[in-house]
Amino acid sequence: MPDVNRGNRPLSPHLTIYRPQITSISSILTRITGNALLISSLLVVWWLLAAATSPEYFAVADGILTSIFGKLVLVLSLWGLCYHLLAGLRHLYWDTGGSMELAWAEKLGWACVIGSFVLTALCLVIIGVLA
Amino acid sequence: MAYLTDRKRAEGLGSAKEGTHHHWWMMVSSAGLAVLTPFFLFTFAPMLGKPHAEVVAYFAQPFPAIVAALMIAVTFMHFKNGVQALIEDYVHGLARKIAMIAMICLSYAAAATGLFAIARLAL
């Protein structure tokens, strides 16, 4: 629509020159982790399909998922899952109208970041015990 | 040079009356996933690296099979709606439509594949 007059409105500072803050970083991390989790989600589906197909095919999929590279992807994904879960709970809490103040938003941002590492370690311990 | 009418200018830029539903569905699926995730994580993850026969016997049980099936279905529908927001923000024009269709198809294909695998393991 070339003939639309969009006026001479001021533009917000562009992402690349805007100072990173915990509010903005914790927000974009939610999106990055959520979308990147597609990779491990597809790996899990592939692993299940292989298990449902044959012992030989399962050996291939299981071998890749439990290789050093596979474990690296899965542990990183576990962190992404923990972060996305905490950030998602933060959104559900925000949707109730609570803690929208800047000081609280910053505290919750740090809680998601630090909490994600704590939760990842906790999950790895529990999985280790169960395995 | 105002060839466009005021209405034509506004069309497609405002609410399509579906945003509330999208947000509500993200709330519902995220609340569901918050509960499902630990159940799935602690049933699925310990099975990695186990012998094939043990994995098949494990997912033949009702609880691990139902948890995995629910996790797969809700995850990929949550992903479908989440990636839609990502595409709407960063991709424009024809590429947006192609990306959106591709991601919706991928989400349903992955969900169907996962559910098929669980059904075959469980039954």
Side-chain angles (χ1 to χ4, degrees), chain A residues 40-71:
Chain A
S40 52
S41 303
L42 292 177
L43 282 176
V44 169
V45 166
W46 179 53
W47 184 87
L48 286 166
L49 181 69
T53 306
S54 70
E56 295 76 28
Y57 193 22
F58 178 73
V60 175
D62 194 60
I64 288 173
L65 260 71
T66 55
S67 68
I68 297 293
F69 183 68
K71 278 178 180 160

PDB file of all heavy atoms in Angstrom, chain A residues 40-71:
ATOM      1  N   SER A  40      14.449 -31.026  19.325  1.00  0.00           N
ATOM      2  CA  SER A  40      14.419 -32.194  20.205  1.00  0.00           C
ATOM      3  C   SER A  40      13.055 -32.874  20.169  1.00  0.00           C
ATOM      4  O   SER A  40      12.959 -34.091  20.340  1.00  0.00           O
ATOM      5  CB  SER A  40      14.810 -31.809  21.630  1.00  0.00           C
ATOM      6  OG  SER A  40      14.037 -30.735  22.066  1.00  0.00           O
ATOM      7  N   SER A  41      11.980 -32.095  19.938  1.00  0.00           N
ATOM      8  CA  SER A  41      10.648 -32.709  19.835  1.00  0.00           C
ATOM      9  C   SER A  41      10.603 -33.688  18.666  1.00  0.00           C
ATOM     10  O   SER A  41      10.065 -34.794  18.790  1.00  0.00           O
ATOM     11  CB  SER A  41       9.573 -31.635  19.629  1.00  0.00           C
ATOM     12  OG  SER A  41       9.608 -30.704  20.677  1.00  0.00           O
ATOM     13  N   LEU A  42      11.191 -33.275  17.532  1.00  0.00           N
ATOM     14  CA  LEU A  42      11.219 -34.159  16.368  1.00  0.00           C
ATOM     15  C   LEU A  42      12.115 -35.362  16.638  1.00  0.00           C
ATOM     16  O   LEU A  42      11.807 -36.479  16.199  1.00  0.00           O
ATOM     17  CB  LEU A  42      11.697 -33.383  15.130  1.00  0.00           C
ATOM     18  CG  LEU A  42      10.739 -32.304  14.603  1.00  0.00           C
ATOM     19  CD1 LEU A  42      11.357 -31.566  13.430  1.00  0.00           C
ATOM     20  CD2 LEU A  42       9.392 -32.899  14.206  1.00  0.00           C
ATOM     21  N   LEU A  43      13.210 -35.146  17.356  1.00  0.00           N
ATOM     22  CA  LEU A  43      14.104 -36.262  17.703  1.00  0.00           C
ATOM     23  C   LEU A  43      13.367 -37.293  18.560  1.00  0.00           C
ATOM     24  O   LEU A  43      13.509 -38.496  18.358  1.00  0.00           O
ATOM     25  CB  LEU A  43      15.342 -35.746  18.452  1.00  0.00           C
ATOM     26  CG  LEU A  43      16.442 -35.106  17.605  1.00  0.00           C
ATOM     27  CD1 LEU A  43      17.550 -34.555  18.497  1.00  0.00           C
ATOM     28  CD2 LEU A  43      17.036 -36.111  16.618  1.00  0.00           C
ATOM     29  N   VAL A  44      12.565 -36.796  19.525  1.00  0.00           N
ATOM     30  CA  VAL A  44      11.821 -37.696  20.408  1.00  0.00           C
ATOM     31  C   VAL A  44      10.790 -38.491  19.610  1.00  0.00           C
ATOM     32  O   VAL A  44      10.640 -39.704  19.792  1.00  0.00           O
ATOM     33  CB  VAL A  44      11.143 -36.891  21.550  1.00  0.00           C
ATOM     34  CG1 VAL A  44      10.149 -37.765  22.316  1.00  0.00           C
ATOM     35  CG2 VAL A  44      12.197 -36.346  22.507  1.00  0.00           C
ATOM     36  N   VAL A  45      10.086 -37.801  18.694  1.00  0.00           N
ATOM     37  CA  VAL A  45       9.100 -38.487  17.841  1.00  0.00           C
ATOM     38  C   VAL A  45       9.788 -39.547  16.979  1.00  0.00           C
ATOM     39  O   VAL A  45       9.296 -40.670  16.832  1.00  0.00           O
ATOM     40  CB  VAL A  45       8.339 -37.462  16.959  1.00  0.00           C
ATOM     41  CG1 VAL A  45       7.579 -38.162  15.834  1.00  0.00           C
ATOM     42  CG2 VAL A  45       7.376 -36.648  17.811  1.00  0.00           C
ATOM     43  N   TRP A  46      10.953 -39.192  16.443  1.00  0.00           N
ATOM     44  CA  TRP A  46      11.721 -40.130  15.613  1.00  0.00           C
ATOM     45  C   TRP A  46      12.130 -41.354  16.437  1.00  0.00           C
ATOM     46  O   TRP A  46      12.005 -42.496  15.984  1.00  0.00           O
ATOM     47  CB  TRP A  46      12.961 -39.419  15.052  1.00  0.00           C
ATOM     48  CG  TRP A  46      13.830 -40.290  14.197  1.00  0.00           C
ATOM     49  CD1 TRP A  46      13.430 -41.041  13.122  1.00  0.00           C
ATOM     50  CD2 TRP A  46      15.232 -40.525  14.347  1.00  0.00           C
ATOM     51  NE1 TRP A  46      14.509 -41.711  12.595  1.00  0.00           N
ATOM     52  CE2 TRP A  46      15.627 -41.416  13.315  1.00  0.00           C
ATOM     53  CE3 TRP A  46      16.197 -40.045  15.229  1.00  0.00           C
ATOM     54  CZ2 TRP A  46      16.943 -41.841  13.172  1.00  0.00           C
ATOM     55  CZ3 TRP A  46      17.509 -40.468  15.079  1.00  0.00           C
ATOM     56  CH2 TRP A  46      17.876 -41.363  14.058  1.00  0.00           C
ATOM     57  N   TRP A  47      12.580 -41.112  17.663  1.00  0.00           N
ATOM     58  CA  TRP A  47      12.990 -42.199  18.570  1.00  0.00           C
ATOM     59  C   TRP A  47      11.806 -43.133  18.853  1.00  0.00           C
ATOM     60  O   TRP A  47      11.953 -44.358  18.820  1.00  0.00           O
ATOM     61  CB  TRP A  47      13.509 -41.568  19.869  1.00  0.00           C
ATOM     62  CG  TRP A  47      14.069 -42.520  20.889  1.00  0.00           C
ATOM     63  CD1 TRP A  47      15.352 -42.974  20.970  1.00  0.00           C
ATOM     64  CD2 TRP A  47      13.371 -43.099  22.008  1.00  0.00           C
ATOM     65  NE1 TRP A  47      15.488 -43.807  22.054  1.00  0.00           N
ATOM     66  CE2 TRP A  47      14.295 -43.903  22.708  1.00  0.00           C
ATOM     67  CE3 TRP A  47      12.056 -43.010  22.482  1.00  0.00           C
ATOM     68  CZ2 TRP A  47      13.950 -44.613  23.854  1.00  0.00           C
ATOM     69  CZ3 TRP A  47      11.704 -43.730  23.622  1.00  0.00           C
ATOM     70  CH2 TRP A  47      12.644 -44.519  24.300  1.00  0.00           C
ATOM     71  N   LEU A  48      10.624 -42.548  19.096  1.00  0.00           N
ATOM     72  CA  LEU A  48       9.427 -43.355  19.362  1.00  0.00           C
ATOM     73  C   LEU A  48       9.017 -44.149  18.119  1.00  0.00           C
ATOM     74  O   LEU A  48       8.646 -45.314  18.213  1.00  0.00           O
ATOM     75  CB  LEU A  48       8.270 -42.460  19.823  1.00  0.00           C
ATOM     76  CG  LEU A  48       8.383 -41.916  21.254  1.00  0.00           C
ATOM     77  CD1 LEU A  48       7.391 -40.786  21.482  1.00  0.00           C
ATOM     78  CD2 LEU A  48       8.163 -43.021  22.285  1.00  0.00           C
ATOM     79  N   LEU A  49       9.100 -43.504  16.950  1.00  0.00           N
ATOM     80  CA  LEU A  49       8.754 -44.188  15.698  1.00  0.00           C
ATOM     81  C   LEU A  49       9.700 -45.353  15.462  1.00  0.00           C
ATOM     82  O   LEU A  49       9.276 -46.443  15.062  1.00  0.00           O
ATOM     83  CB  LEU A  49       8.819 -43.203  14.522  1.00  0.00           C
ATOM     84  CG  LEU A  49       8.462 -43.792  13.150  1.00  0.00           C
ATOM     85  CD1 LEU A  49       6.984 -44.137  13.083  1.00  0.00           C
ATOM     86  CD2 LEU A  49       8.817 -42.832  12.025  1.00  0.00           C
ATOM     87  N   ALA A  50      10.988 -45.132  15.749  1.00  0.00           N
ATOM     88  CA  ALA A  50      11.987 -46.190  15.583  1.00  0.00           C
ATOM     89  C   ALA A  50      11.691 -47.350  16.528  1.00  0.00           C
ATOM     90  O   ALA A  50      11.783 -48.515  16.139  1.00  0.00           O
ATOM     91  CB  ALA A  50      13.385 -45.630  15.828  1.00  0.00           C
ATOM     92  N   ALA A  51      11.313 -47.003  17.779  1.00  0.00           N
ATOM     93  CA  ALA A  51      10.984 -48.044  18.755  1.00  0.00           C
ATOM     94  C   ALA A  51       9.775 -48.854  18.295  1.00  0.00           C
ATOM     95  O   ALA A  51       9.695 -50.062  18.531  1.00  0.00           O
ATOM     96  CB  ALA A  51      10.720 -47.416  20.117  1.00  0.00           C
ATOM     97  N   ALA A  52       8.835 -48.175  17.615  1.00  0.00           N
ATOM     98  CA  ALA A  52       7.615 -48.839  17.149  1.00  0.00           C
ATOM     99  C   ALA A  52       7.848 -49.628  15.865  1.00  0.00           C
ATOM    100  O   ALA A  52       6.998 -50.413  15.450  1.00  0.00           O
ATOM    101  CB  ALA A  52       6.513 -47.803  16.928  1.00  0.00           C
ATOM    102  N   THR A  53       8.994 -49.395  15.214  1.00  0.00           N
ATOM    103  CA  THR A  53       9.236 -50.035  13.916  1.00  0.00           C
ATOM    104  C   THR A  53       9.967 -51.379  14.055  1.00  0.00           C
ATOM    105  O   THR A  53       9.408 -52.420  13.733  1.00  0.00           O
ATOM    106  CB  THR A  53      10.015 -49.081  12.981  1.00  0.00           C
ATOM    107  OG1 THR A  53       9.301 -47.854  12.898  1.00  0.00           O
ATOM    108  CG2 THR A  53      10.182 -49.679  11.596  1.00  0.00           C
ATOM    109  N   SER A  54      11.218 -51.322  14.533  1.00  0.00           N
ATOM    110  CA  SER A  54      11.977 -52.575  14.662  1.00  0.00           C
ATOM    111  C   SER A  54      13.149 -52.377  15.609  1.00  0.00           C
ATOM    112  O   SER A  54      13.592 -51.244  15.822  1.00  0.00           O
ATOM    113  CB  SER A  54      12.500 -53.014  13.288  1.00  0.00           C
ATOM    114  OG  SER A  54      13.518 -52.111  12.862  1.00  0.00           O
ATOM    115  N   PRO A  55      13.680 -53.472  16.191  1.00  0.00           N
ATOM    116  CA  PRO A  55      14.842 -53.353  17.088  1.00  0.00           C
ATOM    117  C   PRO A  55      16.053 -52.744  16.371  1.00  0.00           C
ATOM    118  O   PRO A  55      16.806 -51.978  16.978  1.00  0.00           O
ATOM    119  CB  PRO A  55      15.121 -54.803  17.495  1.00  0.00           C
ATOM    120  CG  PRO A  55      13.834 -55.519  17.281  1.00  0.00           C
ATOM    121  CD  PRO A  55      13.177 -54.850  16.126  1.00  0.00           C
ATOM    122  N   GLU A  56      16.207 -53.043  15.081  1.00  0.00           N
ATOM    123  CA  GLU A  56      17.362 -52.530  14.326  1.00  0.00           C
ATOM    124  C   GLU A  56      17.260 -51.008  14.154  1.00  0.00           C
ATOM    125  O   GLU A  56      18.224 -50.279  14.381  1.00  0.00           O
ATOM    126  CB  GLU A  56      17.446 -53.189  12.936  1.00  0.00           C
ATOM    127  CG  GLU A  56      17.721 -54.687  12.946  1.00  0.00           C
ATOM    128  CD  GLU A  56      16.503 -55.521  13.321  1.00  0.00           C
ATOM    129  OE1 GLU A  56      15.368 -55.064  13.060  1.00  0.00           O
ATOM    130  OE2 GLU A  56      16.682 -56.624  13.893  1.00  0.00           O
ATOM    131  N   TYR A  57      16.066 -50.568  13.753  1.00  0.00           N
ATOM    132  CA  TYR A  57      15.860 -49.123  13.553  1.00  0.00           C
ATOM    133  C   TYR A  57      15.985 -48.389  14.892  1.00  0.00           C
ATOM    134  O   TYR A  57      16.565 -47.302  14.970  1.00  0.00           O
ATOM    135  CB  TYR A  57      14.479 -48.878  12.928  1.00  0.00           C
ATOM    136  CG  TYR A  57      14.260 -47.482  12.391  1.00  0.00           C
ATOM    137  CD1 TYR A  57      15.333 -46.654  12.049  1.00  0.00           C
ATOM    138  CD2 TYR A  57      12.974 -46.983  12.209  1.00  0.00           C
ATOM    139  CE1 TYR A  57      15.128 -45.383  11.535  1.00  0.00           C
ATOM    140  CE2 TYR A  57      12.749 -45.708  11.703  1.00  0.00           C
ATOM    141  CZ  TYR A  57      13.841 -44.915  11.380  1.00  0.00           C
ATOM    142  OH  TYR A  57      13.636 -43.652  10.888  1.00  0.00           O
ATOM    143  N   PHE A  58      15.460 -49.027  15.969  1.00  0.00           N
ATOM    144  CA  PHE A  58      15.564 -48.426  17.307  1.00  0.00           C
ATOM    145  C   PHE A  58      17.024 -48.243  17.703  1.00  0.00           C
ATOM    146  O   PHE A  58      17.400 -47.210  18.275  1.00  0.00           O
ATOM    147  CB  PHE A  58      14.840 -49.287  18.346  1.00  0.00           C
ATOM    148  CG  PHE A  58      14.957 -48.744  19.742  1.00  0.00           C
ATOM    149  CD1 PHE A  58      14.254 -47.606  20.128  1.00  0.00           C
ATOM    150  CD2 PHE A  58      15.806 -49.346  20.673  1.00  0.00           C
ATOM    151  CE1 PHE A  58      14.378 -47.095  21.412  1.00  0.00           C
ATOM    152  CE2 PHE A  58      15.937 -48.832  21.954  1.00  0.00           C
ATOM    153  CZ  PHE A  58      15.215 -47.710  22.321  1.00  0.00           C
ATOM    154  N   ALA A  59      17.855 -49.252  17.376  1.00  0.00           N
ATOM    155  CA  ALA A  59      19.280 -49.174  17.717  1.00  0.00           C
ATOM    156  C   ALA A  59      19.936 -47.960  17.060  1.00  0.00           C
ATOM    157  O   ALA A  59      20.781 -47.291  17.677  1.00  0.00           O
ATOM    158  CB  ALA A  59      19.986 -50.455  17.303  1.00  0.00           C
ATOM    159  N   VAL A  60      19.521 -47.661  15.833  1.00  0.00           N
ATOM    160  CA  VAL A  60      20.072 -46.507  15.108  1.00  0.00           C
ATOM    161  C   VAL A  60      19.663 -45.202  15.800  1.00  0.00           C
ATOM    162  O   VAL A  60      20.503 -44.371  16.150  1.00  0.00           O
ATOM    163  CB  VAL A  60      19.592 -46.491  13.633  1.00  0.00           C
ATOM    164  CG1 VAL A  60      20.059 -45.218  12.926  1.00  0.00           C
ATOM    165  CG2 VAL A  60      20.101 -47.732  12.895  1.00  0.00           C
ATOM    166  N   ALA A  61      18.335 -45.033  16.017  1.00  0.00           N
ATOM    167  CA  ALA A  61      17.826 -43.792  16.625  1.00  0.00           C
ATOM    168  C   ALA A  61      18.342 -43.629  18.049  1.00  0.00           C
ATOM    169  O   ALA A  61      18.800 -42.545  18.433  1.00  0.00           O
ATOM    170  CB  ALA A  61      16.295 -43.802  16.616  1.00  0.00           C
ATOM    171  N   ASP A  62      18.289 -44.711  18.822  1.00  0.00           N
ATOM    172  CA  ASP A  62      18.741 -44.645  20.211  1.00  0.00           C
ATOM    173  C   ASP A  62      20.233 -44.347  20.280  1.00  0.00           C
ATOM    174  O   ASP A  62      20.685 -43.605  21.151  1.00  0.00           O
ATOM    175  CB  ASP A  62      18.414 -45.967  20.922  1.00  0.00           C
ATOM    176  CG  ASP A  62      18.536 -45.834  22.434  1.00  0.00           C
ATOM    177  OD1 ASP A  62      17.804 -44.985  23.000  1.00  0.00           O
ATOM    178  OD2 ASP A  62      19.364 -46.538  23.028  1.00  0.00           O
ATOM    179  N   GLY A  63      20.983 -44.932  19.328  1.00  0.00           N
ATOM    180  CA  GLY A  63      22.429 -44.692  19.280  1.00  0.00           C
ATOM    181  C   GLY A  63      22.749 -43.230  19.046  1.00  0.00           C
ATOM    182  O   GLY A  63      23.668 -42.665  19.663  1.00  0.00           O
ATOM    183  N   ILE A  64      21.966 -42.586  18.172  1.00  0.00           N
ATOM    184  CA  ILE A  64      22.215 -41.170  17.864  1.00  0.00           C
ATOM    185  C   ILE A  64      21.797 -40.280  19.048  1.00  0.00           C
ATOM    186  O   ILE A  64      22.525 -39.366  19.429  1.00  0.00           O
ATOM    187  CB  ILE A  64      21.493 -40.762  16.557  1.00  0.00           C
ATOM    188  CG1 ILE A  64      22.226 -41.402  15.368  1.00  0.00           C
ATOM    189  CG2 ILE A  64      21.433 -39.242  16.400  1.00  0.00           C
ATOM    190  CD1 ILE A  64      21.561 -41.238  14.026  1.00  0.00           C
ATOM    191  N   LEU A  65      20.640 -40.586  19.645  1.00  0.00           N
ATOM    192  CA  LEU A  65      20.174 -39.756  20.760  1.00  0.00           C
ATOM    193  C   LEU A  65      21.068 -39.882  22.002  1.00  0.00           C
ATOM    194  O   LEU A  65      21.184 -38.951  22.780  1.00  0.00           O
ATOM    195  CB  LEU A  65      18.718 -40.096  21.127  1.00  0.00           C
ATOM    196  CG  LEU A  65      17.678 -39.124  20.556  1.00  0.00           C
ATOM    197  CD1 LEU A  65      17.542 -39.304  19.052  1.00  0.00           C
ATOM    198  CD2 LEU A  65      16.335 -39.289  21.230  1.00  0.00           C
ATOM    199  N   THR A  66      21.678 -41.061  22.183  1.00  0.00           N
ATOM    200  CA  THR A  66      22.513 -41.251  23.372  1.00  0.00           C
ATOM    201  C   THR A  66      24.001 -41.073  23.062  1.00  0.00           C
ATOM    202  O   THR A  66      24.836 -41.309  23.930  1.00  0.00           O
ATOM    203  CB  THR A  66      22.271 -42.648  24.000  1.00  0.00           C
ATOM    204  OG1 THR A  66      22.490 -43.652  23.005  1.00  0.00           O
ATOM    205  CG2 THR A  66      20.853 -42.776  24.533  1.00  0.00           C
ATOM    206  N   SER A  67      24.338 -40.651  21.824  1.00  0.00           N
ATOM    207  CA  SER A  67      25.735 -40.326  21.522  1.00  0.00           C
ATOM    208  C   SER A  67      26.110 -39.033  22.242  1.00  0.00           C
ATOM    209  O   SER A  67      25.242 -38.352  22.792  1.00  0.00           O
ATOM    210  CB  SER A  67      25.916 -40.154  20.011  1.00  0.00           C
ATOM    211  OG  SER A  67      25.222 -38.996  19.581  1.00  0.00           O
ATOM    212  N   ILE A  68      27.392 -38.712  22.234  1.00  0.00           N
ATOM    213  CA  ILE A  68      27.842 -37.473  22.895  1.00  0.00           C
ATOM    214  C   ILE A  68      27.104 -36.262  22.323  1.00  0.00           C
ATOM    215  O   ILE A  68      26.581 -35.420  23.057  1.00  0.00           O
ATOM    216  CB  ILE A  68      29.372 -37.277  22.712  1.00  0.00           C
ATOM    217  CG1 ILE A  68      30.137 -38.427  23.382  1.00  0.00           C
ATOM    218  CG2 ILE A  68      29.826 -35.937  23.278  1.00  0.00           C
ATOM    219  CD1 ILE A  68      30.030 -38.469  24.893  1.00  0.00           C
ATOM    220  N   PHE A  69      27.012 -36.220  20.993  1.00  0.00           N
ATOM    221  CA  PHE A  69      26.335 -35.103  20.331  1.00  0.00           C
ATOM    222  C   PHE A  69      24.842 -35.094  20.661  1.00  0.00           C
ATOM    223  O   PHE A  69      24.259 -34.054  20.959  1.00  0.00           O
ATOM    224  CB  PHE A  69      26.539 -35.189  18.814  1.00  0.00           C
ATOM    225  CG  PHE A  69      25.930 -34.031  18.074  1.00  0.00           C
ATOM    226  CD1 PHE A  69      26.442 -32.751  18.210  1.00  0.00           C
ATOM    227  CD2 PHE A  69      24.824 -34.217  17.257  1.00  0.00           C
ATOM    228  CE1 PHE A  69      25.862 -31.675  17.541  1.00  0.00           C
ATOM    229  CE2 PHE A  69      24.238 -33.145  16.589  1.00  0.00           C
ATOM    230  CZ  PHE A  69      24.773 -31.877  16.737  1.00  0.00           C
ATOM    231  N   GLY A  70      24.254 -36.289  20.644  1.00  0.00           N
ATOM    232  CA  GLY A  70      22.830 -36.411  20.969  1.00  0.00           C
ATOM    233  C   GLY A  70      22.541 -35.964  22.391  1.00  0.00           C
ATOM    234  O   GLY A  70      21.571 -35.241  22.643  1.00  0.00           O
ATOM    235  N   LYS A  71      23.418 -36.387  23.312  1.00  0.00           N
ATOM    236  CA  LYS A  71      23.236 -35.993  24.715  1.00  0.00           C
ATOM    237  C   LYS A  71      23.376 -34.488  24.894  1.00  0.00           C
ATOM    238  O   LYS A  71      22.645 -33.876  25.671  1.00  0.00           O
ATOM    239  CB  LYS A  71      24.254 -36.721  25.602  1.00  0.00           C
ATOM    240  CG  LYS A  71      23.807 -38.132  25.968  1.00  0.00           C
ATOM    241  CD  LYS A  71      24.839 -38.836  26.807  1.00  0.00           C
ATOM    242  CE  LYS A  71      24.378 -40.243  27.157  1.00  0.00           C
ATOM    243  NZ  LYS A  71      25.505 -41.108  27.540  1.00  0.00           N
TER     244      LYS A  71
END
